[in-house]
Amino acid sequence: MPVLAVGLVLTASALRRRLVAVTVRGASMEPAYRDGDRVLVRRGRLPAPGQVVVVRDLPATGPTTAPVPTAATRAVPGPALLIKRVAAVPGDPVPRDRVAALAGVPERYVPHGQLVLLGDNPTASFDSRHRGYFASAHVVGTVWRSLSR
């Protein structure tokens, strides 16, 4: 019996390192995710276009403009986390027509280590349309499933 208990503790510990629950704040991903929804995020996987990721909001790594103030903007204690949909990954063409902040970049393809991230609700989302690229190293993980529905 003690071996089973140790195995369960080790399994639980491994899951905590691989999975994290995150509460959505704001309206940037509506209608897919609403303020207060909880999602389970899987760490350690590189995202693909169309997937939803949680990323630490650190300084931009590319061209930027000032954030768009929205009613959904709130102060978040500690390091802020953003939830966004992946629009382009390294090697994909830069989506200049959809992302104004990247319209003037010289490269034809998204550079290594960068991502283009967009909120599903453009009027309430501060994303690549305003700040350019996000560093892929700041991705916490990909949304695996919703815990709220």
Side-chain angles (χ1 to χ4, degrees):
M1 187 69 162
V3 173
L4 178 60
V6 170
L8 289 175
V9 169
L10 291 175
T11 301
S13 176
L15 282 176
R16 275 194 298 268
R17 286 191 305 260
R18 301 276 302 190
L19 299 173
V20 62
V22 175
T23 302
V24 175
R25 294 289 173 223
S28 73
M29 286 300 293
E30 288 182 357
Y33 301 104
R34 300 186 184 287
D35 187 58
D37 284 353
R38 303 237 333 133
V39 294
L40 197 55
V41 176
R42 187 181 313 188
R43 298 179 193 211
R45 293 203 169 185
L46 295 177
Q51 288 185 309
V52 176
V53 297
V54 172
V55 62
R56 288 185 311 270
D57 185 21
L58 297 171
T61 58
T64 63
T65 58
V68 175
T70 67
T73 303
R74 299 184 198 182
V76 177
L81 297 176
L82 303 174
I83 182 169
K84 304 294 175 200
R85 191 169 306 278
V86 178
V89 297
D92 286 349
V94 174
R96 287 177 172 79
D97 57 331
R98 293 174 38 208
V99 182
L102 298 175
V105 298
E107 59 269 11
R108 292 181 55 194
Y109 301 100
V110 176
H112 176 73
Q114 306 299 314
L115 297 169
V116 178
L117 304 178
L118 302 176
D120 288 357
N121 181 359
T123 60
S125 183
F126 178 65
D127 53 33
S128 288
R129 287 177 274 245
H130 307 98
R131 75 178 272 170
Y133 296 118
F134 284 79
S136 59
H138 298 160
V139 172
V140 173
T142 57
V143 173
W144 182 46
R145 66 181 313 162
S146 175
L147 298 173
S148 299
R149 295 177 192 165

